[in-house]
Amino acid sequence: MGTTLMTGASRGLGREAAEHLLRHHPDRHLLVFNRRPGLAAELIERTGNPNVTEVVCDLASFADIRRAAAEVDRPLDGFLGNAGLQMATTRKLTADGHEMTFGVNVLAYHLLLTLLRPRFTNPARIVVVASDVHDRDLNTLGLIPPPRWDDPRELVKPAEGTGRAGRRAYATSKLGVIYLVHALRRRLPEGIDVYSYNPGLVPGTELARDAGRVGRAAFRAVGKALVALPFATTPAEAGRLLAETMTGPRPGDSGSYISRGEVIPSSSESYDERREEELWAAADELCGLPSAGTPPTGTPSPGVTSTPRRSA
């Protein structure tokens, strides 16, 4: 029986993906990392599939990530990193003193995947959820400012700012996810594939739950209007596509960017080996990991010479 470890399975498209996996692949085991206990029991009750266990883990704490990773006692042939957050400001901090959005959306995955790497079988598939808002040319109707990359040691510093700064930090963190995936690809052996995944516009995922009562109401109102647009996806459909990316045929070359089930090039800015390696080295330092050095270069990143990119 194969095992997939999943984060972000408690609500929204992640909950839909988890239930789809359990209903359509009853012979697989799902191990969920969740901030509060009880998710495994909920999933078992909802799907009737008992092949679910959980480890309590707060991704905003390096100590908790280390403890949770140490509790994983089975081989993994799948990893689905869906947990992520968008904060109302850039002032909130993780337990380790880093800006919350970058700390959870980028650093937590760097640390978790590094600690879990010995647990992955060969073959295995790793999928980390990114977003098309990483692309500064994407038209977000003014809701999400474009990313603004900087030295990662600066990006983890809290700053004064409005909700716009918090939303920009989210876009920047999703660009960081793609950089991490590209850097990890160069470090994984053949047979262990890693992908970044864009679910597209999915209204109703409670991504803005930190925005306060007025902000949440505004996002819900906008979401109701956006859900009718042709490029919007329901949580159920987005969850299905995400689950099938984990369990279906090999999507494409390791390191690829998958948008709503289709491999496409990500933004031109997201292919930058210098930034990727600088982020990797900084993340090692910030997470308290020993540096493993720089892998061989010269292999083009997937998507660089692909067909013209299409926004989701």
Side-chain angles (χ1 to χ4, degrees):
M1 178 186 294
T3 297
T4 295
L5 190 156
M6 182 175 180
T7 70
S10 64
R11 56 166 64 90
L13 72 95
R15 180 60 170 262
E16 297 285 352
E19 292 186 9
H20 184 93
L21 288 170
L22 291 168
R23 289 192 176 104
H24 295 272
H25 301 276
D27 57 334
R28 295 192 56 78
H29 188 89
L30 184 65
L31 171 59
V32 291
F33 272 28
N34 197 50
R35 197 154 56 94
R36 296 183 180 88
L39 178 58
E42 291 178 13
L43 290 170
I44 291 170
E45 182 178 2
R46 285 275 299 174
T47 66
N49 186 343
N51 291 326
V52 193
T53 52
E54 68 183 2
V55 172
V56 175
C57 179
D58 183 356
L59 293 177
S61 164
F62 290 161
D64 217 43
I65 291 171
R66 291 179 180 277
R67 175 200 51 76
E71 291 184 23
V72 178
D73 59 358
R74 59 174 68 222
L76 304 173
D77 62 2
F79 178 94
L80 180 47
N82 176 65
L85 46 79
Q86 177 182 304
M87 306 302 294
T89 71
T90 55
R91 294 191 296 271
K92 289 194 175 182
L93 303 179
T94 67
D96 304 278
H98 304 310
E99 190 279 319
M100 184 71 77
T101 303
F102 199 86
V104 171
N105 294 0
V106 181
L107 296 183
Y109 283 113
H110 179 75
L111 177 59
L112 183 56
L113 286 170
T114 299
L115 296 174
L116 291 176
R117 202 182 309 177
R119 288 290 180 190
F120 286 111
T121 62
N122 195 329
R125 186 177 301 177
I126 300 168
V127 178
V128 185
V129 172
S131 172
D132 50 5
V133 301
H134 83 276
D135 182 2
R136 65 179 58 255
D137 294 326
L138 180 74
N139 180 8
T140 65
L141 306 178
L143 293 175
I144 308 293
R148 185 178 292 164
W149 193 255
D150 200 348
D151 184 321
R153 297 168 186 83
E154 295 298 317
L155 293 174
V156 299
K157 294 179 180 178
E160 296 297 322
T162 63
R164 183 174 176 81
R167 296 191 296 275
R168 187 188 299 278
Y170 175 75
T172 303
S173 75
K174 292 304 186 179
L175 179 59
V177 166
I178 299 175
Y179 287 152
L180 275 186
V181 165
H182 290 168
L184 180 56
R185 165 187 172 266
R186 289 190 286 273
R187 291 164 168 83
L188 291 174
E190 184 175 354
I192 302 181
D193 294 331
V194 59
Y195 302 97
S196 54
Y197 187 89
N198 167 43
L201 175 63
V202 189
T205 59
E206 297 185 38
L207 185 62
R209 57 187 176 273
D210 183 62
R213 183 179 301 175
V214 174
R216 290 196 302 270
F219 271 91
R220 281 196 297 269
V222 172
K224 289 179 181 178
L226 293 178
V227 74
L229 297 177
F231 53 83
T233 307
T234 65
E237 177 67 6
R240 180 186 67 81
L241 289 172
L242 181 57
E244 291 178 354
T245 297
M246 279 300 306
T247 58
R250 187 172 187 249
D253 292 338
S254 183
S256 294
Y257 176 78
I258 305 170
S259 180
R260 296 194 290 186
E262 178 185 4
V263 173
I264 66 171
S266 49
S267 70
S268 57
E269 186 180 11
S270 69
Y271 298 100
D272 188 323
E273 189 169 325
R274 180 185 60 80
R275 285 185 179 181
E276 293 161 9
E277 291 303 318
E278 286 179 351
L279 173 58
W280 189 274
D284 275 349
E285 176 187 321
L286 293 165
C287 294
L289 293 166
S291 176
T294 304
T297 60
T299 303
S301 296
V304 174
T305 58
S306 299
T307 55
R309 185 180 174 278
R310 297 184 299 281
S311 294

